[in-house]
Amino acid sequence: MTALRQRKGSKGKEPPVGAELPSQQSNCCTEPLGHQHPEWMLHGDWSWGAIIWTSVGWSVSVGLGLLCCIYVATLHENDLWFSNIKEVEREISFRTECGLYYSYYKQMLKAPTIQEGLSDLIHDNLTESKRTINLLQRMNIYQEVFLSVLYRALPVQSYLEPVYFYIYTVFSLQAVYVMALYLTAWLLSGSWLAGTLAGVWYILNRVDTTRVEFTISLRENWSLPFLALQVTTITCYLRPQLTSLQQKVVVWLMYVTTLCFCLTWQFNQFILLVQALVIYSLDCIDLLTTTQVTTLYLVQVSGLLSVWLLQFCNSMILGSLVLSFIVAALFIRHCQSGLKSGSLLVRLGKLLLHSTMVLLLTFTINYLAKNALQLRSDEHIFKFIKSKFGLGPTRDFDASLYLCEEAFGLLPLDTFDRLAGTLLLYPYILTLLLLSGMLAVAALQNLSRSKGRPADEAQLEAFRPDVAYNLLHTLFYGLLAFSTMRMKYIWTGHMCAVAAYGVCRTELWTQLLTTVHCHSKILLRLVRYAVPLAMMGCLYYKFWPKLMEELSELREFYDPDTVELMTWISTKTPKTAVFAGSMQLLAGIKLCTGRVLTNHPHYEDKDLRERTRQVYQVYARRSPEDVHDILRSAGADYVVLENSICYERRHRRGCRLRDLLDLANGHIMDGPGDNDPDLVAASHPRFCEAIKTDPAAYAALFTRTFENKTFHVYRVKKKRKKSSKTPPESGVTQ
C-alpha cells in the first residue's frame, strides 16, 4: 500500500551456587582495572583506578545506546522525509496494527481531560461497531496512556509535536536495549570491551536485531528492551557474593522489568514460558538453589498477576500456560522431597518421572482453568502451533492466516549469511559449542555428586549459574527463532551479548590456549585485549563506509491513493460512519479519520476473529445478498475493497487471502493447480470482482461512492427496495 520513492537531490559465608574456584578468584584479582565488573561498587572497591575505568565503561554504554537511537531515528527520517510530509501521511506511515495503537495515544491527547480519556478507553464503542469494549483490558496500550499523560504534564508542547514525542520515546528505548545487552556482556565477561562489542554487533546487524525504524508502535519494540533489562537483572542476581540487601534490590528490579515487559506485549506469556523452562532446566541439573528457583518463579508470577490486575482481570493471563507450568513445577517439587538424591541413573530416572508429572499437571491445570474461565482468546495461537507442526487442520482460516505470512515461517537461511558477514556468527557458534560441552559435563558431575548431599549444597563451582542461565536462554530462544522468524528479534540481540562474552571471557581463552599448549598470563591478557579490538577495527573498516552511504540515502513517503482515500473519508462521510474492510487498512482509517470499525488487527478475541472472517467474505465467492447481510449485521455503512487483495499476487497459490477464504468455504481455488477432491465449484462469482461491473443484483444493495487505482468504496444500503428503482449516486470520485 505504502511506497517510498527516491527524494530529488539525494545521494560470603558458604560459597553460593556457582561460586568460582579459588584459583579462578585469584586470576580475577590480577585482571586490569578495565576488566572489573559493573557491580564493583557492591563489593567495596573504591580505588581511583576502579572508579575511572568503570566510569569509562558506563560512559561507553551510554554512548553506544545514544548512537543506536540516533541511527534508527535518522533512518526513519531519511526513508519517509518525516519532518516534511503532511500529518495524514505521517499517520499512514504507522502501518497495520501500529496505526491502531498510535490512534489511542492520539485519542488520549484529544480528550478534554485525562479522566475523560481513560473513561473513553475503558468504555470504547468506536473500535468495534455495535460493541462496547474495555481497551485497557483487551490491548496492551498502557504505554500510550502513560506517554499521553507525560506529554500533557511536561513543558514540551510548544516545541515538540506529539508524534515526535512518541517516536523519540520508542527510539530511546533502543538505547536502553543496547545498554542492557552491554551490561549483560560486561557482567558475564568482566570486561566492558565485551559490552562494547555486543553494542556494535547489535547496531551492525540492525536488519536482524530490530525493525523499529519502520514499525515504531509494534508492541515488541516497547517490550524487548525491558526483556533485555530483565535478563541483565537475572544475570546480576545469579552472580556470587551479593549481600542480602543487594539481592533484595536486584529482585525488585527483576520484578519491575518483568512487569514492564508483560504490560507492553500481549505475547508475554509465551516468552515467559520459555524463560520458565530455562529456570526449570537449571533447577534439574542443580545449578540453582531452591531459593533462587522459587524467587525467579515468583517474580514471573508477580509480574503476570500485576498485569492481570492492571488489565481489569484479563482472563487470558490467568489461563496462560506459563502460570499453569509454574504452579505445577512448584507443587511437584514440594511433593518430591527426595528428588535430588541417589546415584546418577536413579537421579535421571527421577528427573524423567518428575518432568512427566510436571507436564501432565501443567496441562491439567491449564485445561481446568480455561474451562472455568471459558477462555478462548488464545486458541488461534495453539491452532497455529498445531498446524505448523502438522498436528491440526490445515484449512483453519485463523491458523492459515498466520502460516502464510513469512514472519511466522521458518527462519530464512540468508539470516546466517548476514550474521556471518558481521563476524558475529562464528564466535557465537564457538562459544555455544564450548559452553554447551562444559554445561553437559557440569550437569553430569552435579547429578553424580549429589548422592547423600542436601539439594541446595549440590553445586558445581566451575560453571557459574549466570553463565548457565544465559547459555540456556540463547539456546531456547534460538530454537524459537528457528521455528518462527518473527521471534528472531528476541534471539539475535542476546546473541550479540553471548558472542561478545565468548570473545572476552578469561576462562574460554584459558581453555583454548591450554589446549594448544600456549597458555601464559601475558599471552592471555594480550589475547583478551587484542582480539576484540582487532574485531572492532575490522568491523569499522568494513562497515563504516556502508553506514555512511545508508545514512545518505534520502527517500520520501509516497502513497497518494491512500492519502486520497483518507481525505475523502474525513470530508465526505459522517463522523459516526462504520467502515468494513481489511484489518490493516481499517487500523489506518481509525487513526486518520476516527471512524468506527467493524474489525481491526488486534486478533486476541474469538468474537473479533469470527467477525473478521465474515467481513472478509467480500473477497470470497458469495452472493451479494449474503455479503450484504454480513456487513449489515456488523453495522457497516461503507465497505472498502482493495485491488491488492482482490487480485493478490504477493503470496503463492493457496496462501492468497481469497484462497484461504475459498478453502474455508469449501470452494475450488483460482488458477491452475491441484485442489482437494472434496472442494466444489462456487455457485457465485467473486464478490470483489463482480460488484465492479454494477449488475442489478449488486446495485440494489451497494452504491459506489469512491474509487481510485487502489481502493473502491461502496455504501451499504440499509433497505432493499424491490418495487421502486433507486437512481445511482452521482459524483463518484475518480
Side-chain angles (χ1 to χ4, degrees):
M1 179 177 72
T2 303
L4 297 174
R5 64 181 181 183
Q6 198 72 19
R7 203 185 305 174
K8 293 182 179 179
S10 70
K11 290 176 68 131
K13 294 179 182 180
E14 288 290 328
V17 172
E20 294 177 333
L21 289 169
S23 60
Q24 292 172 316
Q25 292 173 346
S26 62
N27 285 341
C28 291
C29 295
T30 61
E31 289 179 352
L33 293 173
H35 287 77
Q36 297 214 4
H37 293 283
E39 78 274 21
W40 60 273
M41 295 175 289
L42 301 179
H43 307 310
D45 185 1
W46 290 88
S47 65
W48 281 109
I51 293 173
I52 293 172
W53 277 106
T54 306
S55 298
V56 171
W58 281 97
S59 300
V60 173
S61 74
V62 173
L64 279 172
L66 291 175
L67 179 63
C68 181
C69 173
I70 295 169
Y71 177 48
V72 294
T74 304
L75 289 177
H76 176 260
E77 168 65 24
N78 290 355
D79 280 346
L80 302 176
W81 205 2
F82 200 75
S83 60
N84 195 66
I85 58 179
K86 297 182 292 185
E87 184 67 20
V88 64
E89 293 177 314
R90 290 179 178 177
E91 292 180 346
I92 293 171
S93 71
F94 287 91
R95 313 171 190 185
T96 62
E97 67 261 44
C98 296
L100 183 69
Y101 297 130
Y102 181 76
S103 71
Y104 300 122
Y105 169 74
K106 178 181 176 182
Q107 181 177 325
M108 280 291 295
L109 289 178
K110 285 188 172 183
T113 64
I114 294 174
Q115 291 78 5
E116 289 184 44
L118 287 172
S119 178
D120 289 340
L121 293 180
I122 295 172
H123 307 93
D124 178 87
N125 54 11
L126 301 177
T127 303
E128 296 177 19
S129 57
K130 291 189 172 185
R131 294 175 184 169
T132 298
I133 62 175
N134 185 341
L135 291 169
L136 294 180
Q137 181 187 55
R138 282 268 298 272
M139 302 184 190
N140 298 71
I141 58 169
Y142 268 99
Q143 50 266 55
E144 277 74 25
V145 173
F146 173 76
L147 272 195
S148 63
V149 173
L150 194 62
Y151 184 78
R152 285 172 176 263
L154 294 176
V156 298
Q157 301 176 26
S158 58
Y159 59 88
L160 189 63
E161 297 176 60
V163 65
Y164 279 108
F165 186 74
Y166 186 93
I167 66 174
Y168 286 166
T169 300
V170 181
F171 292 150
S172 297
L173 282 176
Q174 287 295 297
V176 174
Y177 198 171
V178 170
M179 291 174 65
L181 296 174
Y182 183 104
L183 290 175
T184 300
W186 190 358
L187 283 166
L188 290 172
S189 67
S191 168
W192 53 258
L193 275 178
T196 306
L197 192 55
V200 169
W201 268 329
Y202 180 88
I203 296 171
L204 294 181
N205 290 281
R206 173 187 57 82
V207 173
D208 296 300
T209 56
T210 183
R211 45 181 177 167
V212 65
E213 77 274 8
F214 61 91
T215 57
I216 297 173
S217 306
L218 213 59
R219 302 298 83 177
E220 67 188 45
N221 295 329
W222 288 93
S223 62
L224 292 186
F226 294 113
L227 178 63
L229 281 174
Q230 187 224 32
V231 172
T232 302
T233 56
I234 292 175
T235 302
C236 188
Y237 173 71
L238 296 179
R239 288 192 57 76
Q241 300 174 352
L242 291 182
T243 67
S244 177
L245 176 61
Q246 293 160 0
Q247 285 185 344
K248 289 178 181 178
V249 172
V250 174
V251 168
W252 273 105
L253 289 174
M254 282 194 293
Y255 166 74
V256 171
T257 53
T258 302
L259 172 62
C260 292
F261 165 69
C262 294
L263 195 60
T264 51
W265 199 10
Q266 68 269 28
F267 293 144
N268 55 67
Q269 55 170 300
F270 304 102
I271 307 306
L272 289 187
L273 176 61
V274 178
Q275 189 176 76
L277 291 172
V278 172
I279 297 168
Y280 177 81
S281 301
L282 292 173
D283 182 28
C284 288
I285 59 176
D286 289 347
L287 279 175
L288 299 180
T289 66
T290 299
T291 300
Q292 289 174 326
V293 173
T294 305
T295 300
L296 291 171
Y297 280 152
L298 290 182
V299 164
Q300 288 189 325
V301 172
S302 301
L304 286 169
L305 292 183
S306 298
V307 174
W308 174 70
L309 289 174
L310 288 170
Q311 290 193 314
F312 297 82
C313 304
N314 187 335
S315 59
M316 188 173 174
I317 296 175
L318 288 185
S320 64
L321 206 55
V322 62
L323 274 184
S324 302
F325 175 81
I326 292 173
V327 171
L330 290 175
F331 179 78
I332 298 296
R333 194 181 198 276
H334 176 75
C335 293
Q336 290 187 312
S337 56
L339 175 66
K340 298 189 175 184
S341 63
S343 63
L344 176 60
L345 292 179
V346 172
R347 284 288 305 274
L348 291 176
K350 286 182 177 181
L351 280 179
L352 181 60
L353 178 61
H354 177 82
S355 300
T356 303
M357 293 175 66
V358 168
L359 290 176
L360 288 175
L361 186 57
T362 296
F363 290 115
T364 301
I365 294 174
N366 193 252
Y367 176 80
L368 294 175
K370 287 188 174 180
N371 277 275
L373 298 169
Q374 296 184 340
L375 179 63
R376 305 185 70 181
S377 299
D378 58 353
E379 64 178 7
H380 65 299
I381 298 175
F382 294 102
K383 285 181 181 178
F384 159 71
I385 295 173
K386 289 179 181 178
S387 298
K388 188 177 184 68
F389 296 102
L391 303 175
T394 55
R395 288 188 190 175
D396 182 82
F397 179 77
D398 296 326
S400 299
L401 209 57
Y402 281 98
L403 287 170
C404 287
E405 288 297 326
E406 184 182 1
F408 292 93
L410 298 176
L411 188 68
L413 295 179
D414 62 352
T415 304
F416 300 103
D417 293 333
R418 292 191 297 269
L419 296 176
T422 59
L423 308 180
L424 171 61
L425 186 63
Y426 306 117
Y428 174 78
I429 292 177
L430 183 59
T431 302
L432 213 58
L433 292 174
L434 287 172
L435 289 179
S436 297
M438 293 167 64
L439 180 63
V441 173
L444 288 174
Q445 291 179 352
N446 262 10
L447 294 175
S448 300
R449 286 198 266 173
S450 61
K451 183 177 181 179
R453 298 172 62 186
D456 285 353
E457 294 180 6
Q459 53 182 287
L460 182 69
E461 291 84 354
F463 204 93
R464 289 166 26 200
D466 57 336
V467 175
Y469 172 82
N470 281 274
L471 172 61
L472 292 189
H473 182 99
T474 193
L475 284 173
F476 279 55
Y477 286 103
L479 293 175
L480 185 62
F482 271 87
S483 66
T484 307
M485 189 187 77
R486 185 174 178 179
M487 295 295 116
K488 75 174 180 179
Y489 300 102
I490 304 175
W491 175 56
T492 50
H494 189 258
M495 182 181 181
C496 299
V498 172
Y501 159 71
V503 172
C504 299
R505 186 57 183 163
T506 303
E507 284 83 350
L508 295 178
W509 282 115
T510 300
Q511 187 173 355
L512 285 175
L513 292 174
T514 302
T515 302
V516 296
H517 307 288
C518 294
H519 180 259
S520 68
K521 288 184 178 181
I522 297 176
L523 182 59
L524 175 62
R525 185 175 298 182
L526 178 63
V527 169
R528 286 193 66 195
Y529 275 110
V531 173
L533 289 173
M535 293 182 74
M536 284 188 280
C538 180
L539 292 173
Y540 174 84
Y541 177 79
K542 182 178 179 181
F543 288 100
W544 182 256
K546 294 182 180 180
L547 289 179
M548 292 299 100
E549 183 181 354
E550 183 181 25
L551 291 174
S552 67
E553 292 180 359
L554 304 177
R555 298 183 177 89
E556 179 183 358
F557 178 90
Y558 185 72
D559 192 358
D561 290 350
T562 306
V563 171
E564 186 183 13
L565 173 66
M566 299 302 176
T567 303
W568 179 84
I569 293 175
S570 297
T571 58
K572 301 297 183 181
T573 64
K575 291 184 178 180
T576 57
V578 179
F579 277 79
S582 70
M583 296 183 290
Q584 296 80 2
L585 179 64
L586 291 183
I589 291 176
K590 172 76 168 63
L591 171 59
C592 297
T593 71
R595 299 307 189 260
V596 186
L597 313 179
T598 58
N599 53 300
H600 55 80
H602 195 272
Y603 222 49
E604 278 64 55
D605 180 76
K606 179 177 173 20
D607 293 332
L608 177 65
R609 292 195 295 271
E610 178 58 28
R611 178 184 277 193
T612 298
R613 189 177 69 83
Q614 291 298 321
V615 169
Y616 276 3
Q617 297 302 313
V618 297
Y619 298 107
R621 292 187 176 98
R622 298 289 293 270
S623 68
E625 293 79 13
D626 288 347
V627 174
H628 183 270
D629 292 343
I630 289 170
L631 295 176
R632 289 307 308 162
S633 66
D637 298 312
Y638 296 87
V639 58
V640 185
L641 302 179
E642 302 172 61
N643 289 339
S644 59
I645 298 179
C646 190
Y647 308 106
E648 183 184 358
R649 296 178 180 177
R650 183 169 67 95
H651 290 102
R652 68 183 188 277
R653 184 178 184 268
C655 267
R656 300 168 298 190
L657 180 59
R658 62 179 187 267
D659 295 336
L660 302 184
L661 292 165
D662 288 341
L663 290 173
N665 294 336
H667 296 156
I668 294 174
M669 294 182 292
D670 285 340
D674 297 331
N675 288 282
D676 292 338
D678 61 322
L679 298 177
V680 298
S683 56
H684 299 281
R686 195 166 303 281
F687 179 85
C688 62
E689 296 177 357
I691 193 174
K692 295 172 185 176
T693 61
D694 283 330
Y698 294 86
L701 302 173
F702 304 91
T703 302
R704 184 167 51 195
T705 56
F706 173 90
E707 68 174 323
N708 59 24
K709 292 183 296 183
T710 305
F711 305 103
H712 297 258
V713 182
Y714 294 85
R715 182 170 60 84
V716 184
K717 296 182 179 181
K718 293 184 179 180
K719 295 181 180 179
R720 306 182 191 182
K721 296 183 179 181
K722 296 182 180 179
S723 56
S724 59
K725 293 183 179 180
T726 303
E729 245 183 58
S730 59
V732 174
T733 304
Q734 300 292 337

